[in-house]
Amino acid sequence: SGNEGSPASRRDNAGSSSPLPHARSTSNPARKRTPEDFVFGRVLGEGSYSTVLYAKESGTRREFAVKVLDKRHIIKEKKVKYVNIEKDVLNRLSHPFIIKLFYTFQDMHSLYFVLELAKDGDLLGYIRKLGSFEVEGARFYIAEIITGVMYLHNMDVIHRDLKPENILLDEKMHVKITDFGTAKPLNDTKTDDAEQARDETSARNSFVGTAEYCSPELLNDRAASKASDIWAIGCILYHLLAGKPPFKGANEYQTFQKIIKLEYSFPDGFPDSARDLVSRILVLDPCKRPTLEEIQKHPFFDGFDWENLHEKPAPNLR
Ligand SMILES: O=C(O)C[C@H](Cc1nc2cc(Cl)cc(Cl)c2[nH]1)c1ccc(Cl)cc1
């Protein structure tokens, strides 16, 4: 018959009775989630193992960013552990500057992360649009990032891939740190050291994404630590004020060479107090880098009020 392919008949063909009307509301947490609950829109981002789509939940009309991962690809690339870590880490986090995971589900072919939608794009987009930030804007945004990363570190999580593309902006232009696919729970007692070392090696060997913010220790066989996130914060602060990252080679290998040789310089006009702070952060030995608390006390933040950043209006960027 002609209606063979229509959803209703497909559902009937599947033999599942159509769910009761009340079961279709998404306020019922017990109800099994399916992609059919959403109307998907444009692609918001593409990762090596995922695609993030705009999605509107049919019942509630709520908007989300849904991260979809292909199961076969995840298994083939041996990323199952990372995906499950990302889910477990995100489920534990709750902070205004960290993207919220509402829930996850899976179907035959894919895994789905239903994430908070950050409507104003990412920090890289703004740096490209503006060229570079004034001191006030750079200080505000790096302070929000530092506040979010302090929360992560207090929750014993290191992000390991902080970069402007992973700093999203919500409609009030406050930051939302995202992409915990390379995050590492520090108190991950389950894995023994050997596995941890293998894990580090495999992480580096399967290193993906941009190399510009990668810390020297991550490139030199050493395990990532909280200091690796602090290195990335130094790179982001430089990038906000200079309009380009401190270490940028013609290709990934040359970028790595510049990082391990600490080959970078400040452009003319780079503000002095920021110059001093960046030079204290971008040091090869992770143990010699300042802690986030020490960074907060640096003269670059003199007179800066760290309280309730989330409640304050974001500075208009030029
Ligand atoms: O914790 C859960 O809810 C269960 C699953 C765990 C899980 N099932 C998987 C199946 C495959 Cl093929 C791959 C991965 Cl990474 C898988 N992870 C799950 C479902 C969805 C998402 Cl996004 C993450 C983990």
Side-chain angles (χ1 to χ4, degrees):
S1 71
N3 71 349
E4 205 65 58
S6 79
S9 68
R10 222 180 11 249
R11 205 191 317 276
D12 298 347
N13 290 349
S16 67
S17 64
S18 64
L20 298 171
H22 71 273
R24 294 198 62 71
S25 79
T26 50
S27 58
N28 168 353
R31 198 177 55 75
K32 189 146 176 37
R33 312 276 186 189
T34 77
E36 278 67 49
D37 294 336
F38 298 93
V39 176
F40 289 97
R42 70 187 182 88
V43 173
L44 298 173
E46 304 251 25
S48 323
Y49 304 98
S50 62
T51 300
V52 181
L53 298 169
Y54 170 90
K56 183 168 275 193
E57 198 176 40
S58 313
T60 60
R61 307 191 60 67
R62 287 188 307 180
E63 299 174 298
F64 296 98
V66 177
K67 182 172 183 173
V68 187
L69 299 96
D70 176 81
K71 284 183 172 179
R72 204 166 29 80
H73 188 49
I74 293 292
I75 292 170
K76 187 161 59 70
E77 300 292 317
K78 299 186 175 34
K79 291 289 171 192
V80 171
K81 180 167 176 267
Y82 289 97
V83 173
N84 291 334
I85 287 173
E86 179 172 10
K87 174 185 188 294
D88 297 342
V89 163
L90 274 172
N91 270 334
R92 288 194 292 126
L93 302 177
S94 172
H95 187 278
F97 297 152
I98 306 291
I99 211 79
K100 180 176 167 50
L101 171 65
F102 289 93
Y103 50 83
T104 62
F105 60 89
Q106 56 181 300
D107 64 8
M108 174 79 73
H109 299 294
S110 307
L111 300 166
Y112 301 83
F113 285 88
V114 180
L115 296 158
E116 178 178 11
L117 177 66
K119 288 194 156 187
D120 263 8
D122 64 44
L123 204 51
L124 183 64
Y126 276 93
I127 300 174
R128 286 192 173 141
K129 196 161 72 177
L130 300 171
S132 64
F133 283 31
E134 301 293 328
V135 169
E136 192 209 353
R139 187 162 52 193
F140 178 85
Y141 280 104
I142 207 70
E144 291 208 334
I145 294 166
I146 288 167
T147 304
V149 174
M150 273 178 110
Y151 169 78
L152 282 184
H153 289 182
N154 291 340
M155 295 293 287
D156 281 330
V157 171
I158 47 180
H159 186 284
R160 293 203 294 185
D161 194 19
L162 289 171
K163 53 188 177 182
E165 299 97 305
N166 286 341
I167 309 293
L168 305 183
L169 295 159
D170 67 14
E171 42 200 352
K172 292 195 176 148
M173 289 296 283
H174 288 281
V175 307
K176 295 279 181 191
I177 298 170
T178 191
D179 194 350
F180 288 77
T182 49
K184 188 164 93 151
L186 286 173
N187 52 3
D188 187 353
T189 49
K190 288 187 289 298
T191 51
D192 59 61
D193 292 350
E195 186 187 343
Q196 195 76 23
R198 236 186 344 270
D199 178 26
E200 292 303 329
T201 313
S202 68
R204 192 178 57 256
N205 294 347
S206 63
F207 187 85
V208 287
T210 169
E212 279 85 354
Y213 301 83
C214 187
S215 61
E217 62 271 18
L218 212 59
L219 298 173
N220 283 323
D221 298 327
R222 287 177 64 181
S225 68
K226 293 180 178 180
S228 312
D229 283 345
I230 290 172
W231 170 278
I233 285 171
C235 292
I236 294 171
L237 176 55
Y238 178 103
H239 194 163
L240 288 172
L241 289 166
K244 57 185 178 31
F247 306 100
K248 180 78 185 152
N251 58 51
E252 198 167 81
Y253 175 77
Q254 290 187 358
T255 300
F256 287 162
Q257 289 307 309
K258 287 178 182 285
I259 291 168
I260 57 178
K261 292 190 299 196
L262 202 62
E263 196 180 303
Y264 80 101
S265 61
F266 293 102
D268 294 344
F270 195 92
D272 289 344
S273 65
R275 186 184 288 243
D276 180 76
L277 176 54
V278 170
S279 347
R280 290 172 189 278
I281 296 173
L282 298 185
V283 296
L284 292 179
D285 181 351
C287 306
K288 293 209 170 48
R289 285 177 212 145
T291 62
L292 291 174
E293 289 76 13
E294 287 162 346
I295 291 172
Q296 287 185 311
K297 296 189 184 85
H298 186 276
F300 178 69
F301 291 107
D302 274 1
F304 186 80
D305 177 6
W306 287 84
E307 295 309 308
N308 309 319
L309 281 174
H310 175 58
E311 310 303 328
K312 289 195 177 75
N316 65 325
L317 293 170
R318 217 186 272 164

